[in-house]
Amino acid sequence: MSFAFTPEEQSRVEVAAFLGIHLDPISYVDLSTIIVLGTMYFFEFIALCYQLRNRDYLPLRVKNVPVMCSLYVGGVSWLLGDIFTGGLVHLGQSPVLRNCKFTAIWLRICIGAYYVTSLFALRCYSLYYVFCKGKAFRGRVMLISLGVAGLSIVAFGGVSMVLPTRMTVWYEEILDMCNYNHTYVLCVLLVIWAIWAYTAVMTWKMRKIPFCFNERVEIFTSFGILLVVSLLNSVCLLVFSVYPAYLGWRTALLYTNHVGASIGYWVVMWEPTYACLFHRDEYLQYWINILKEDQMEREYEYSTNLNPETTMDLIEYPDIPFKERSTLGSTTISDTYTANVQ
């Protein structure tokens, strides 16, 4: 797979110009984009292996490491779909890459963009369930939530696959790229914006809730990432009907999608991962103290043999980048929510 400006690539550019399309050739800039984002996901894979190995560490366990693992898988699928359908590589040499229905609908849209953004939205809902309803987001509730999201994604992908090719996405041989039906693009973006709207509603409902750890940062980060990703994808897919032809737009879209997904992942996982690696016992004690002070042991499904009347001094560790903790004192989360919102 060449990234040099070959005679074949020059011919492709000239054909596009004849059709009235400005086409930036596939170049080493595209290769560097693939290398940078691939390296980013490689280091995340190493971190994910460490998190899976230490998934019984309580501050990591409450982040639901298996679900975060599936988020990583969705991000990798999204990256592959963006690369194959975003004009960064030649498709004509491989029958798999020419199958735009598979690479676009499943890798890029369903397993990629839809699943990743849905997990961001579910993360917001899980925090709402914990801090507003005062219940642990585990068991049947979590499985039903994930099941509804997963079945919705599979249903969308299944319907897309049975529709005629010209109604969804197809391989444009003369330009060597995937081309989308405009109406289908609108439907895809409508779902993306619906997920963002749901995240916005959850964010608004929790705007006055005091949290235990860095949950507020997680919520507003998810809200911001989904907004930026939705806006840029809308611009690229609607304003520029063949955005993969433009080097600047296809590069910007890839970095926005995947750096945004990576930031969302690390906002959730950074603090407990860092603490597990460098301050394992100290942070665990700090974490337990916060739960006891804020009376959130049940919601986080943490039980201790300590006497409930025992008072534990809160220990501060200035060399660890902890976020601001809540100042609830003896007031419960649900009580504060009722007073501030209702």
Side-chain angles (χ1 to χ4, degrees):
M1 187 172 291
S2 175
F3 291 89
F5 191 62
T6 62
E8 292 79 6
E9 185 67 2
Q10 182 177 359
S11 175
R12 190 171 76 103
V13 173
E14 291 172 353
V15 169
F18 177 77
L19 297 174
I21 300 173
H22 171 79
L23 176 63
D24 292 324
I26 295 173
S27 67
Y28 289 103
V29 175
D30 298 300
L31 177 60
S32 67
T33 299
I34 295 172
I35 292 173
V36 169
L37 294 177
T39 302
M40 180 188 75
Y41 276 104
F42 173 73
F43 283 113
E44 284 187 3
F45 175 75
I46 295 175
L48 182 63
C49 290
Y50 178 79
Q51 292 158 2
L52 285 169
R53 184 179 180 183
N54 294 274
R55 62 187 179 276
D56 289 332
Y57 181 60
L58 284 174
L60 277 174
R61 191 170 71 185
V62 299
K63 300 296 184 180
N64 205 324
V65 176
V67 172
M68 299 306 293
C69 179
S70 71
L71 174 65
Y72 173 83
V73 172
V76 172
S77 174
W78 194 2
L79 176 64
L80 293 175
D82 274 349
I83 290 173
F84 297 151
T85 65
L88 279 78
V89 295
H90 295 288
L91 308 180
Q93 301 172 358
S94 170
V96 175
L97 299 186
R98 291 198 302 270
N99 185 359
C100 291
K101 269 201 167 185
F102 170 72
T103 56
I105 293 174
W106 288 111
L107 291 182
R108 182 179 184 181
I109 297 173
C110 292
I111 304 175
Y114 279 179
Y115 186 69
V116 171
T117 53
S118 293
L119 283 186
F120 280 142
L122 283 177
R123 177 65 182 166
C124 288
Y125 176 71
S126 69
L127 294 176
Y128 171 81
Y129 199 81
V130 169
F131 288 98
C132 294
K133 293 190 174 183
K135 301 177 181 179
F137 190 72
R138 287 287 187 272
R140 185 174 62 179
V141 174
M142 185 184 72
L143 292 176
I144 291 175
S145 300
L146 289 172
V148 169
L151 289 175
S152 300
I153 292 170
V154 170
F156 184 92
V159 171
S160 298
M161 291 298 290
V162 300
L163 288 174
T165 299
R166 289 288 170 172
M167 292 182 65
T168 54
V169 56
W170 64 93
Y171 174 65
E172 195 69 69
E173 185 174 2
I174 195 170
L175 296 176
D176 191 27
M177 64 174 59
C178 294
N179 198 15
Y180 292 86
N181 178 281
H182 185 73
T183 303
Y184 184 72
V185 168
L186 289 175
C187 294
V188 171
L189 291 175
L190 181 63
V191 175
I192 292 289
W193 279 107
I195 295 172
W196 174 83
Y198 179 82
T199 305
V201 171
M202 291 293 101
T203 302
W204 176 259
K205 286 186 175 182
M206 293 185 286
R207 68 193 184 280
K208 296 183 180 180
I209 300 300
F211 296 99
C212 288
F213 301 102
N214 66 339
E215 291 90 350
R216 186 177 301 280
V217 177
E218 294 178 24
I219 291 171
F220 285 101
T221 300
S222 297
F223 173 81
I225 288 173
L226 289 180
L227 177 60
V228 172
V229 167
S230 300
L231 283 172
L232 191 59
N233 276 271
S234 298
V235 170
C236 286
L237 292 170
L238 295 180
V239 178
F240 303 96
S241 58
V242 285
Y243 86 89
Y246 300 91
L247 176 63
W249 283 109
R250 67 183 183 237
T251 302
L253 187 63
L254 252 79
Y255 277 108
T256 299
N257 288 344
H258 300 286
V259 172
S262 181
I263 291 173
Y265 176 88
W266 282 112
V267 164
V268 176
M269 301 303 293
W270 160 252
E271 184 175 311
T273 302
Y274 177 91
C276 182
L277 187 61
F278 295 107
H279 304 276
R280 187 181 183 93
D281 295 332
E282 296 93 335
Y283 183 79
L284 179 60
Q285 185 63 65
Y286 170 91
W287 187 84
I288 293 171
N289 285 345
I290 294 293
L291 290 191
K292 287 184 64 64
E293 184 184 68
D294 290 347
Q295 302 178 20
M296 292 292 290
E297 299 101 316
R298 180 173 61 85
E299 288 79 359
Y300 276 83
E301 291 193 332
Y302 169 74
S303 60
T304 178
N305 293 325
L306 291 171
N307 188 311
E309 299 299 326
T310 301
T311 301
M312 301 175 66
D313 294 330
L314 185 64
I315 306 173
E316 298 292 347
Y317 304 99
D319 56 332
I320 305 177
F322 294 153
K323 309 298 185 293
E324 291 183 5
R325 64 177 185 81
S326 70
T327 55
L328 290 180
S330 60
T331 306
T332 64
I333 295 288
S334 57
D335 290 340
T336 305
Y337 174 75
T338 302
N340 289 341
V341 180
Q342 295 180 349

